[in-house]
Amino acid sequence: MIIRPETAADEDAIHRITETAFAEASHASHTEADIIRQLRKDGDLTLSLVAEEDGEIVGHIAFSPVAIGGRHDDWYGLGPVAVRPDRQRRGIGSALVTQGLAALRARAARGCALLGDPAFYGRFGFESDGTITYRGLPVRYVQRLVFASEAPYGELTYAPAFDLAAL
Ligand SMILES: CC(C)(COP(=O)(O)OP(=O)(O)OC[C@H]1O[C@@H](n2cnc3c(N)ncnc32)[C@H](O)[C@@H]1OP(=O)(O)O)[C@@H](O)C(=O)NCCC(=O)NCCS
């Protein structure tokens, strides 16, 4: 399995995997695949990595700029992340998160935030201590990982493409 940046030829496979992986997820808005296309169109897909196995795309992770407390200063949002259902629970999701975070650090990002299950993301160092909030969501799902400088606080705001989730 290799992890590499997306190319234009991967776009449809990314869409399919994201749709399939989130189809059964209870927390899904079912707009995740469209959000990725919109992020790309808007120039907000800062980092888009695919996991490839035997020439097939089996997983994907996206990162895009976020604001915290109204400030945009090199913080990025993790997600959506998806692994093809028949390849889940084999470490592919973890490899996408780990390599994505390493790539963000390499581009001098200050930190990463996400909405997600602490049982999965805690292992990568994400914390939810209530300093970041998101639209009344229980704080344990609003997580952050500080790379550099002081931790920001306030409401988390995603790129406009994520408004598709609220439609
Ligand atoms: C979440 C997802 C990307 C993880 O990918 P994966 O390749 O299965 O992940 P890994 O094999 O690296 O799993 C690592 C660990 O996370 C656990 N895990 C996987 N999905 C989890 C979830 N949704 N909640 C809690 N733990 C989860 C696994 O049990 C595993 O734990 P273990 O090592 O103690 O057994 C994948 O399950 C998926 O595509 N889910 C549907 C889409 C989704 O929910 N995306 C995340 C939105 S926040």
Side-chain angles (χ1 to χ4, degrees), residues 2-11 14 40 45-52 57 59-63 96 99-100 103-104 107:
I2 59 160
I3 292 183
R4 60 166 177 78
E6 71 163 35
T7 68
D10 301 322
E11 291 177 17
I14 291 169
R40 195 181 287 116
L45 193 53
T46 308
L47 181 64
S48 176
L49 300 178
V50 293
E52 184 182 314
I57 305 298
H60 174 258
I61 192 165
F63 293 87
L96 283 164
Q99 293 205 28
L104 277 190
R107 51 186 296 150

Side-chain angles (χ1 to χ4, degrees), residues 17-18 20-28 32 58-60 78-85 87-97 114-121 123-124 143:
I17 281 170
T18 306
T20 315
F22 279 94
E24 305 284 312
S26 57
H27 55 270
E32 294 81 4
V58 294
H60 174 258
L78 184 161
V81 53
V83 172
R84 217 170 76 182
R87 306 295 173 97
Q88 289 177 7
R89 310 247 154 173
R90 296 183 191 183
I92 297 172
S94 297
L96 283 164
V97 173
L114 62 84
L115 307 176
D117 189 337
F120 181 56
Y121 294 104
R123 69 192 67 195
F124 308 105
Q143 298 168 67

Side-chain angles (χ1 to χ4, degrees), residues 26-71:
S26 57
H27 55 270
S29 67
H30 307 294
T31 52
E32 294 81 4
D34 293 334
I35 287 171
I36 296 167
R37 279 206 202 281
Q38 193 64 43
L39 284 170
R40 195 181 287 116
K41 208 166 145 188
D42 294 345
D44 283 334
L45 193 53
T46 308
L47 181 64
S48 176
L49 300 178
V50 293
E52 184 182 314
E53 237 175 34
D54 301 327
E56 273 188 287
I57 305 298
V58 294
H60 174 258
I61 192 165
F63 293 87
S64 55
V66 292
I68 298 172
R71 290 178 52 191

